[in-house]
Amino acid sequence: MLTFYDMTKEEVEACRDLVLNMREEASKKKAHEEALERFHDSVRTLVDAVGLVEAKQIVREINRELREL
């Protein structure tokens, strides 16, 4: 069994970096999923407010604006 004190300083640092990277990726994934869910909710609200045809036009307009960024 590998124990903490059997590891070299470089191995400990590599493990720490790996864990930090895993946490960062998990945080980014969670933020992405939450943002996507909020976006879907907003689109549903938009469709309810102005109807599907108008909502599509608004989304297309926003899409064009995003392409220009």
Side-chain angles (χ1 to χ4, degrees):
M1 177 178 189
L2 183 65
T3 58
F4 179 74
Y5 51 84
D6 288 337
M7 297 173 70
T8 66
K9 180 180 178 182
E10 291 81 15
E11 291 171 330
V12 171
E13 288 177 7
C15 290
R16 183 180 78 64
D17 291 344
L18 177 63
V19 170
L20 291 176
N21 286 337
M22 289 171 61
R23 289 178 181 170
E24 182 179 352
E25 289 300 317
S27 177
K28 287 179 182 179
K29 183 178 178 182
K30 182 179 179 184
H32 174 88
E33 290 170 354
E34 290 173 353
L36 187 59
E37 184 177 333
R38 287 191 308 271
F39 179 75
H40 280 267
D41 290 343
S42 295
V43 171
R44 282 190 286 274
T45 301
L46 176 64
V47 170
D48 291 343
V50 298
L52 182 59
V53 173
E54 184 71 22
K56 285 181 179 181
Q57 290 172 348
I58 292 169
V59 170
R60 285 187 195 112
E61 182 179 326
I62 292 169
N63 190 34
R64 280 191 293 277
E65 292 172 5
L66 288 171
R67 286 185 188 146
E68 293 175 2
L69 294 179

